[in-house]
Amino acid sequence: MLNGMLSPNQIKVQQKVRNFVKEHIKPYAREWDAIGDIPDSAVKAWRDTGLFCLVAPKEVGGPELDTLSATIVLEELGYGCLGTATAFGANNLCSYPVLLAGTPEQKQKHFAPLLEGEFGAFALTEPCAGSDAGAVATTAVRDGAEYVLNGTKCYITEGGLAATFIIIASTDRSKGTKGLSAFIVERGRSGFSVGKVEDKMGIRASNTVELVLKNVRIPAWHMIGKEGEGMKLAMSTLDSGRLMVAAQAVGAARAALDESIEFVKKRIDNGKPLASQQSVAFKIADMATVIEAGRQLVHQGARLKDAHQPYSKHAAMTKLFCTDMAMQVARDAMDIMGAYGYTKDSYVEKIWRDSRILSIYEGTNEIQRVVISGSLLR
Ligand code: COS
């Protein structure tokens, strides 16, 4: 890891999370994968680091990490367990709309539970609105001083555990993407319930559910920004989220590389460690090279965002490269380890399963190509 470009504070954050991962995540990640849950004690330990919501602003008592620091945290969490990184990352994802357009009152409301150690969730996806985000069919109808929400959201990270949600709903279906709006909805509102809990192939430590809204009434001041601003808020949120997913991918790939290095040094083949075979050593070299390339893309994207420069295209390129890279590195690691890598005795089996989601969630890699090519060809 090249640390030369990081500030002393960023290196401190990196070390803190690295220690946390070593002590609180890595020894238990396989067990959490098996049970499909993160025990409360581990969630509490993470909360005690003060990093439970990385992007929560100082004005509400949050750490307000810069984007580069946040990607460093997500890389380290991804190194430990992608499921846990996904779960802990949800609090950032759901916070961007509030950071972008929330009033001081909305910021207090949204961040208070997150800073107390509760989860938050960002709910955009629906059964018929995945890649086509603008097709959201959940409606929000104004009724006096309230909005009434109806619809179904699916594949919502930490939705079964969250205390606060950002729900993207249509306030005017005739306007398509220009009719979408964003709302803060708390757990416990009448008519708001958790539906199907997904049984996933990977990132099993994270919680993924369906949310059902039946005549859910919320005060009108819970709308973030203005009516019709929901699509822009959701897309800007995903720009940030894509850098975080890419950072997790770099972390997962680094874990696969470390497992591979340990394996090839120990494993004896024809009387010599596997590492002495040039074909194996070269694969290790290639894995390390693409990981470093991915990390540099992530850090550059974070620097662009921190400098308030346009970065949508860069975020899409970064997610595209890093998530495919992680999958390839996990596969290379499994190739190096052979049958052992395919068993649950090897951590690489879990990294391979977990990494598969990276090129799917927060915009498939086809969507990243839509964003990249769209910005080049318009
Ligand atoms: N930041 C801010 N605004 C953005 C934006 C961005 N990155 N991308 C698009 N917008 C705005 C556009 O400017 C446009 O507003 P105006 O018409 O006022 O200019 C509006 O959003 C609609 O944009 P567009 O016409 O490009 O929308 P499309 O319906 O063609 O969809 C894609 C664009 C496909 C890129 C979008 O639907 C998408 O990203 N889909 C994937 C969704 C996703 O990632 N889901 C994952 C689950 S959520 S965890």
Side-chain angles (χ1 to χ4, degrees), residues 148-216:
V148 185
L149 275 63
N150 278 287
T152 302
K153 297 286 178 185
C154 57
Y155 309 122
I156 305 305
T157 299
E158 296 309 291
L161 307 169
T164 182
F165 300 77
I166 301 299
I167 305 276
I168 306 295
S170 179
T171 36
D172 187 345
R173 291 217 64 200
S174 70
K175 290 189 179 159
T177 56
K178 289 190 194 325
L180 299 187
S181 306
F183 298 90
I184 300 173
V185 180
E186 317 92 317
R187 177 175 63 202
R189 286 258 164 207
S190 172
F192 188 29
S193 61
V194 174
K196 186 181 177 213
V197 180
E198 302 297 342
D199 184 7
K200 306 187 296 295
M201 163 184 157
I203 58 159
R204 292 175 53 81
S206 68
N207 169 264
T208 310
V209 302
E210 178 187 59
L211 298 174
V212 182
L213 298 107
K214 279 190 185 152
N215 294 320
V216 178

Side-chain angles (χ1 to χ4, degrees), residues 122-143:
F122 175 71
L124 168 66
T125 303
E126 298 184 1
C128 292
S131 287
D132 186 7
V136 161
T138 294
T139 54
V141 176
R142 183 83 190 235
D143 182 20

Side-chain angles (χ1 to χ4, degrees), residues 50 64 110 125 152 328:
E64 196 173 333
H110 172 80
T125 303
T152 302
Q328 184 59 45

Side-chain angles (χ1 to χ4, degrees), residues 8 19 38 42 47 49 70 89 92 94-95 128 136 144 154 157 162 176 196 224-225 229 238 292 296 299 320 353 356:
N19 292 340
I38 305 169
R47 185 186 67 195
T49 62
N92 305 317
C94 71
S95 295
C128 292
V136 161
C154 57
T157 299
K196 186 181 177 213
I224 304 163
E229 288 182 355
L238 289 173
E292 188 54 37
Q296 294 310 319
H299 287 195
L320 173 62
R353 273 188 295 113
R356 188 63 194 86

Side-chain angles (χ1 to χ4, degrees), residues 125 130-131 133 178 231-232 235-236 238-239 242 312 362-363:
T125 303
S131 287
K178 289 190 194 325
M231 181 72 173
K232 277 187 199 292
M235 292 299 108
S236 302
L238 289 173
D239 284 344
R242 286 166 187 167
S312 296
E362 295 190 40

